[in-house]
Amino acid sequence: MSGQIAIALYRIAQAIQLMLRRAGQAHGLSPAQVQALLFLAYARPGVRTIGGLAQRLQATMATASEVADALERKGLVAREPLPEDRRTVTLRLTVAGRRRVAALERLLDDLEEAVEALSPSDQEALHRALQQIVRRLAASGAIVVYEMCWGCAFFRPYAHPENPAAPHHCAFMDAPLRDADTYTECPDFIPREEVPA
């Protein structure tokens, strides 16, 4: 049974890669450029850098820089210094880049429809099972998973009640966080349960 499930997951992965290629072709983008745009849309602001992009693409800094250059030439990405550290250059989606991301987000619609066709109990069971598989693969180093703040050991919710614009705190960056930023992906995530009390 485990072998049959692994093959089914492999076929789904192939389908996602095909959807990614087709979406990219429809918008004149390579698969790496599509992944970069989605990364920039959902990553925490402090990691929207060439280094952060290289991590997400699991590529070299040079390759990530080439991807960013291509997106910049297409008017989808702009480079700008990080306000807290002007030596660090960040990547920002332009208005055209945000529009392109909105169109690309529909690339998984067919997969979502297939999942929605399952009963609610099957969807819950599938979700739990896939979470366990992803955690195990991440623990073995087979995949890199970026998680969000709410389950992170560095996250301090509502640490700044006097600051409604940024009420939370990230101990890793030692900086306040806006509520919206707590729902973005972060490569510095460490699960709370992995850190001894």
Side-chain angles (χ1 to χ4, degrees):
M1 180 58 75
S2 62
Q4 292 174 1
I5 292 170
I7 289 169
L9 290 172
Y10 176 69
R11 289 182 179 147
I12 291 169
Q14 285 180 310
I16 291 170
Q17 286 302 315
L18 180 59
M19 292 173 197
L20 194 65
R21 276 199 307 277
R22 285 180 178 162
Q25 288 168 352
H27 293 279
L29 300 167
S30 71
Q33 291 169 3
V34 171
Q35 289 180 56
L37 289 175
L38 294 172
F39 168 73
L40 294 175
Y42 294 106
R44 176 171 53 76
V47 297
R48 295 175 192 159
T49 62
I50 295 297
L53 182 58
Q55 273 191 294
R56 167 46 61 95
L57 298 177
Q58 295 187 338
T60 63
M61 295 282 280
T63 298
S65 188
E66 287 171 12
V67 170
D69 289 344
L71 292 171
E72 192 172 25
R73 284 193 300 272
K74 293 176 182 185
L76 303 175
V77 167
R79 283 179 162 89
E80 57 188 29
L82 188 68
E84 307 88 69
D85 180 1
R86 300 195 65 79
R87 295 168 299 173
T88 302
V89 176
T90 62
L91 304 171
R92 174 184 56 79
L93 291 175
T94 62
V95 171
R98 287 194 297 274
R99 281 197 300 265
R100 193 66 55 91
V101 166
L104 289 170
E105 285 175 331
R106 295 193 290 272
L107 72 90
L108 294 179
D109 283 357
D110 290 343
L111 181 57
E112 284 188 35
E113 286 175 19
V115 172
E116 285 171 1
L118 299 172
S119 70
S121 61
D122 282 348
Q123 288 184 43
E124 288 175 19
L126 178 62
H127 185 242
R128 280 193 307 274
L130 289 175
Q131 282 182 321
Q132 290 176 25
I133 292 168
V134 167
R135 282 193 191 104
R136 191 173 182 108
L137 290 172
S140 72
I143 59 172
V144 176
V145 178
Y146 296 151
E147 301 270 3
M148 295 178 286
C149 293
W150 290 88
C152 180
F154 296 120
F155 184 57
R156 309 291 182 266
Y158 308 105
H160 305 287
E162 74 291 350
N163 183 2
H168 311 296
H169 190 83
C170 173
F172 182 84
M173 296 189 305
D174 192 25
L177 286 174
R178 297 179 311 137
D179 196 57
D181 291 339
T182 67
Y183 295 99
T184 56
E185 298 178 340
C186 177
D188 302 316
F189 174 91
I190 294 181
R192 191 173 290 120
E193 60 271 16
E194 288 186 10
V195 177

